[in-house]
Amino acid sequence: MAEEAEEEDEAEYHSRDFAWEDLRDEIESDASLSHHLLSSSLPSSSIGSSSTSSSIDADAWRSFHHRHSTGRFFKERRYLLKEFPELVSCCDSVKVLEVGCGNGSTVLPILRLCSAGRNTVVYGCDCSEDVLERAKEIVSAAKGIHIKDRFHPFLLDFSIHSFPEWLVCSSCQCSLGGKCVDFSLDGHREKPSKSNAPFMGEDQCCIGGVDFVTLIFTLSAVPFDKMSLIIERCASTLKPGGLILFRDYGLYDMTMLRFSPDQRVGSREYMRSDGTLSYFFSLDVARDLFCAAGLVTLELEYCCIRSVNRRNGKTMRRVWVHGKFQKPMPNPS
């Protein structure tokens, strides 16, 4: 369920082109934008029941990916390693779980680390078979990347289902200091097997968890009332000391201000005409969500970028939330 992101090329990238507080004051004093400031009388649950709304949302994203199957809608996120240097500075053997991998725009820069001799492996999930096939095509066609046994995409609607046990089985999950519970909403969790994880060794119970989870323009695409559970699931796959690397839409981003009052489905939550959702995070909301999952906040800030639309010459003020959250090491017994 990768969300679109109109981000600049690496050479043009900035993160503090204006002060978020100045933008906030301007927006909150503009009467024409007052519908964005209202406390919600339309909670997310008003979209439908929990499981039904998630299913409808996933269907909308599958349709979205089918319409944009050429991959032109997404650009490779070259800024990623600059914003998250931990991916570069860590040990040689690294496992990354990309949640909502889309067509591989985040996967590609991570896999380029392999060309430097690093044993980086990316496990990427998405709810759309079309976009997973496109991701495999794009990654396979990329120059300078040796991807044999490096990229393992798998189909998963993570807004409904828990991660498969081949990522981290129940026994290993407990040993990693996580909650020994099943986070699935439907009570189903896929057991490890060679058929659903052909890259595993014959005697492996699972891959033992991952070093990093990336949530890049993904969490905003699911209903707000599912976010806490999704973050808990992501945290359950991390090794102790591992990081969730987070980047998503921030409060008062220009795309938020384009929504009309009738597109509001919750506080700071909107539905597009195609049925896909978009939520806009404040720092406080992001901090509360990740801390509630037992994670420690290492970095959390607004990235405020001013760019110019080359087609019409208009200046765009983009706001994203950037965060790094760590799974604590278990207390020594």
Side-chain angles (χ1 to χ4, degrees), residues 131-142:
V131 79
L132 289 176
E133 286 301 316
R134 183 58 181 162
K136 286 189 284 188
E137 292 172 4
I138 290 175
V139 171
S140 297

Side-chain angles (χ1 to χ4, degrees), residues 94-148:
V94 178
K95 296 174 184 175
V96 181
L97 171 61
E98 164 67 357
V99 180
C101 66
N103 70 350
S105 55
T106 297
V107 171
L108 273 176
I110 297 175
L111 286 177
R112 292 194 192 282
L113 291 173
C114 300
S115 62
R118 292 176 179 272
N119 185 25
T120 306
V121 181
V122 179
Y123 305 89
C125 67
D126 209 287
C127 67
S128 166
E129 289 186 86
D130 287 340
V131 79
L132 289 176
E133 286 301 316
R134 183 58 181 162
K136 286 189 284 188
E137 292 172 4
I138 290 175
V139 171
S140 297
K143 295 181 179 179
I145 298 180
H146 305 290
I147 65 163
K148 181 175 174 56

Side-chain angles (χ1 to χ4, degrees), residues 118-304:
R118 292 176 179 272
N119 185 25
T120 306
V121 181
V122 179
Y123 305 89
C125 67
D126 209 287
C127 67
S128 166
E129 289 186 86
D130 287 340
V131 79
L132 289 176
E133 286 301 316
R134 183 58 181 162
K136 286 189 284 188
E137 292 172 4
I138 290 175
V139 171
S140 297
K143 295 181 179 179
I145 298 180
H146 305 290
I147 65 163
K148 181 175 174 56
D149 300 325
R150 300 283 199 248
F151 180 43
H152 303 294
F154 61 99
L155 186 65
L156 181 74
D157 181 356
F158 55 85
S159 68
I160 298 177
H161 303 294
S162 187
F163 292 113
E165 283 226 337
W166 57 256
L167 272 172
V168 55
C169 67
S170 299
S171 176
C172 292
Q173 182 181 320
C174 294
S175 69
L176 292 177
K179 298 179 182 179
C180 304
V181 297
D182 183 2
F183 288 128
S184 60
L185 296 180
D186 60 357
H188 171 73
R189 196 171 190 210
E190 185 181 28
K191 295 295 183 182
S193 72
K194 288 294 289 182
S195 60
N196 57 49
F199 45 82
M200 282 174 49
E202 291 292 340
D203 299 326
Q204 275 187 285
C205 60
C206 62
I207 66 168
V210 298
D211 303 284
F212 298 98
V213 174
T214 56
L215 281 170
I216 310 296
F217 294 97
T218 296
L219 199 60
S220 61
V222 301
F224 181 79
D225 57 6
K226 305 293 186 300
M227 292 182 187
S228 292
L229 185 59
I230 290 170
I231 294 171
E232 286 188 357
R233 290 188 193 134
C234 290
S236 75
T237 71
L238 279 174
K239 299 175 183 178
L243 298 178
I244 292 183
L245 307 178
F246 176 69
R247 194 174 182 85
D248 218 318
Y249 288 113
L251 187 61
Y252 303 142
D253 177 64
M254 74 168 202
T255 55
M256 174 182 177
L257 306 179
R258 289 174 173 174
F259 284 108
S260 60
D262 61 352
Q263 290 178 289
R264 291 180 69 244
V265 294
S267 179
R268 304 168 183 171
E269 189 174 17
Y270 302 82
M271 181 178 288
R272 301 180 184 85
S273 58
D274 62 4
T276 58
L277 292 173
S278 191
Y279 182 84
F280 297 84
F281 292 91
S282 68
L283 299 187
D284 288 341
V285 167
R287 183 183 295 106
D288 290 346
L289 285 169
F290 285 94
C291 289
L295 300 168
V296 177
T297 303
L298 300 185
E299 291 183 13
L300 185 60
E301 62 182 355
Y302 289 115
C303 294
C304 299

